[in-house]
Amino acid sequence: MRKDQIFLLACCGFIGGVFAGSFFVVAWWIIFLSCALLIACVAAFPRKNVFVLFLPLAMFTFGILSVTSSLDQFREDALYVGEVSGIGRVADDPEEKNFYRQVIIRMESCDTAYCPQEKILWQAPRIADIVPGARISFTCTLELPKNFDEGFDYRMFLAKDDIGYVCHTASKAEWPQENMRARLTRLFFIPKHSFEEALNKSVPQPEAGLAEGLILGGDNRLPGALKQAFIKAGLSHIVAISGYNIALIAQGFVIFGIVIGLWRRQALWFAACGIILFILMVGAPASAIRAGIMGLAAFAALSVGRLSRSINVLVFAAALMLLFQPLLLRYDVGFQLSFLAALGIIIAVPWLERLLPKEFIGKSFAEIALLTFAVELFVVPLLIYQFHIFSPYALLANVLLLPLVPYAMALSFIGALSFLVLPGLHLLPAGLAYLFLRTVTFVAERISVLPGATMELSIGAGALLLWYAFLFFVIVILKRRFHQYYVQTKNIS
């Protein structure tokens, strides 16, 4: 067995253990019995091949222990409920809501007996001038997050980002003098805020909100009616930073690098640096970092050429992320979508090279359309499973509109940067960006009002797994058929 196969089995074993621990109750005696059995088998059969067979089992057990430990940390009886007073720090960029600002606080020191290690989600008043990195001296009664919907575990959704408490109203909130760390953190978010302001001045609303969602992620900048239209048309995922969006951005950097005269390998490194800078520009939220890792993994995987090695890179990226936060597998839909989108891209690209071997006008558009179709095959069943909504026109809408997304993103990005450099230079790229953005919003609005645009549809976990097993079976069959055809053609020639 080759080293890359051993490595793949170990990563799959760990992911499988995290999956088992996330969705099933695994008794502690079973874990200890498995560990004892593993040690006994390795001691009794010290041969290398036997050890390799038991390596996935060891990683499987480690995966169960990892997720079990994380779940125990956020049990209700393991968390403190009561008043806490002290100094905390704003850990992320505050998110604007209708009547308040959603602020994530990490406590640095406490005057009370208990000082929480988990983050606090504070519903701060909108009038408060809160910036990332700011120090806040406040007193608040900590509460556990409540699950408002039986089908959505809000507590564990927050737990995956290490948020264990909510604070609705602080009885005291003061802002001490900023230190050097707070100033540096504020400087870190200046590019994002400047870019948002430039984008809003370059493109009219609501298209500017769509552009911000495409580039920076999040649908909170869209008007309520347009947000609902995107949901009904099956397009809500395009305003979330995912592995697919990151891959499109990476592709844009590669094309730009080649245009300015870089070699292919240099263009790949240029794209990787561009993705890292992009994540920093949007404030490096956890969702963007996870999507960036997945996107870069898919991009690096494609550069190695062989499909098997590409899958190894993607699986390693997923295992590495789960190593740091095992709760992602079950409670982060963004992680699931990013992984599946990246997997769809990796599998689809070799087939695109076979289906579209020659250069022709509109080839790039055809590639994006076919790539979009492949990605939809992987992500739509998961969307139905998670949100119980299905749009019969979703596939059509995505195939029609997603090829426009890279151009809308690129032109919006160029227009905003041009505005920052010299207002007036932005007119041409911003005008072209508006045409693409307006096309997307117009088609989404029209599709959303068609009869039967959305329907409630639920599928179970078993049906979801059967669908992905079916996809795997079809891919294997097609790969073997193509290999046989290639061998026969080569022998005839």
Side-chain angles (χ1 to χ4, degrees):
M1 186 174 288
R2 301 194 310 269
K3 293 181 179 179
D4 61 323
Q5 293 175 332
I6 298 173
F7 178 77
L8 179 62
L9 285 175
C11 290
C12 289
F14 175 71
I15 295 174
V18 174
F19 179 85
S22 299
F23 290 93
F24 305 99
V25 178
V26 182
W28 280 101
W29 67 268
I30 296 179
I31 299 176
F32 285 123
L33 182 62
S34 300
C35 293
L37 179 63
L38 173 65
I39 295 173
C41 289
V42 173
F45 305 99
R47 295 174 53 190
K48 180 179 178 181
N49 291 338
V50 175
F51 176 76
V52 167
L53 293 177
F54 285 98
L55 179 60
L57 178 59
M59 295 304 295
F60 181 85
T61 305
F62 177 64
I64 293 177
L65 292 172
S66 298
V67 72
T68 302
S69 175
S70 297
L71 290 172
D72 289 342
Q73 179 186 353
F74 290 94
R75 292 196 328 266
E76 290 190 18
D77 57 353
L79 296 174
Y80 168 83
V81 177
E83 186 176 85
V84 66
S85 178
I87 296 178
R89 184 179 300 278
V90 179
D92 205 347
D93 200 8
E95 186 176 346
E96 297 289 340
K97 298 296 183 179
N98 291 333
F99 306 105
Y100 61 90
R101 286 184 176 179
Q102 188 168 279
V103 184
I104 299 176
I105 302 291
R106 169 78 77 179
M107 296 302 296
E108 292 186 339
S109 61
C110 297
D111 301 327
T112 50
Y114 178 79
C115 194
Q117 300 298 317
E118 295 80 14
K119 297 177 183 176
I120 303 170
L121 188 64
W122 177 34
Q123 295 181 359
R126 296 197 65 177
I127 59 174
D129 183 18
I130 302 175
V131 295
R135 300 171 72 238
I136 300 177
S137 175
F138 79 126
T139 300
C140 184
T141 300
L142 300 183
E143 301 176 14
L144 298 181
K146 296 180 181 179
N147 295 331
F148 301 100
D149 187 349
E150 293 182 359
F152 178 62
D153 195 339
Y154 182 62
R155 284 189 62 247
M156 299 311 299
F157 173 79
L158 295 179
K160 68 170 174 50
D161 291 321
D162 199 26
I163 300 174
Y165 303 96
V166 294
C167 170
H168 295 290
T169 304
S171 57
K172 169 193 170 184
E174 298 175 353
W175 283 259
Q177 184 177 3
E178 289 185 348
N179 56 13
M180 181 60 66
R181 180 179 176 182
R183 296 190 186 98
L184 291 176
T185 305
R186 177 181 289 191
L187 289 174
F188 178 77
F189 283 89
I190 285 179
K192 176 187 177 182
H193 297 156
S194 300
F195 182 81
E196 288 179 334
E197 184 180 357
L199 196 55
N200 279 301
K201 292 181 178 179
S202 302
V203 181
Q205 292 289 354
E207 282 68 29
L210 174 59
E212 289 184 53
L214 293 175
I215 298 174
L216 303 177
D219 60 359
N220 58 314
R221 304 172 181 86
L222 296 177
L226 185 58
K227 186 187 301 185
Q228 289 299 317
F230 272 77
I231 294 174
K232 292 180 179 180
L235 294 167
S236 58
H237 61 91
I238 70 173
V239 290
I241 298 181
S242 67
Y244 178 68
N245 297 59
I246 295 291
L248 291 178
I249 295 171
Q251 185 181 28
F253 275 113
V254 169
I255 295 173
F256 179 73
I258 293 175
V259 168
I260 62 177
L262 298 179
W263 296 98
R264 179 176 177 83
R265 183 172 294 276
Q266 293 173 329
L268 292 175
W269 281 106
F270 176 74
C273 294
I275 291 300
I276 295 173
L277 291 176
F278 168 79
I279 294 174
L280 294 176
M281 188 198 73
V282 301
S287 59
I289 293 175
R290 291 192 284 267
I293 292 174
M294 284 298 178
L296 286 174
F299 202 63
L302 294 175
S303 66
V304 302
R306 292 177 56 183
L307 180 61
S308 59
R309 293 181 180 177
S310 302
I311 299 296
N312 288 1
V313 174
L314 184 63
V315 171
F316 171 69
L320 184 63
M321 295 169 68
L322 294 176
L323 179 64
F324 288 98
Q325 181 48 277
L327 299 180
L328 293 177
L329 183 62
R330 178 174 180 179
Y331 299 106
D332 191 346
V333 180
F335 169 82
Q336 300 166 9
L337 292 174
S338 294
F339 177 80
L340 290 174
L343 181 62
I345 292 171
I346 290 174
I347 292 176
V349 165
W351 294 99
L352 294 181
E353 296 175 352
R354 298 164 185 169
L355 295 174
L356 304 171
K358 298 180 180 179
E359 293 291 338
F360 60 90
I361 298 176
K363 181 182 178 180
S364 59
F365 188 90
E367 286 179 344
I368 295 176
L370 291 174
L371 196 63
T372 300
F373 177 76
V375 171
E376 288 297 298
L377 291 177
F378 280 85
V379 302
V380 167
L382 179 63
L383 291 172
I384 296 173
Y385 172 76
Q386 291 285 1
F387 303 108
H388 313 296
I389 295 177
F390 173 68
S391 173
Y393 308 107
L395 184 59
L396 175 63
N398 280 275
V399 170
L400 288 176
L401 296 180
L402 283 191
L404 305 180
V405 168
Y407 304 102
M409 293 172 65
L411 290 169
S412 299
F413 188 80
I414 294 172
L417 288 183
S418 301
F419 183 88
L420 289 173
V421 174
L422 181 63
L425 291 177
H426 72 286
L427 294 177
L428 179 59
L432 294 174
Y434 175 78
L435 292 178
F436 284 104
L437 294 168
R438 180 55 189 155
T439 301
V440 173
T441 57
F442 178 82
V443 175
E445 290 170 344
R446 293 300 176 270
I447 290 178
S448 66
V449 297
L450 291 175
T454 57
M455 60 177 65
E456 292 187 3
L457 180 62
S458 298
I459 59 174
L464 185 67
L465 294 176
L466 283 176
W467 170 257
Y468 290 118
F470 171 74
L471 273 183
F472 176 78
F473 176 76
V474 171
I475 292 169
V476 170
I477 294 298
L478 290 176
K479 185 178 179 181
R480 288 183 177 179
R481 292 287 178 85
F482 180 83
H483 179 72
Q484 293 175 357
Y485 173 78
Y486 175 79
V487 172
Q488 292 175 359
T489 306
K490 186 176 181 180
N491 291 335
I492 293 175
S493 60

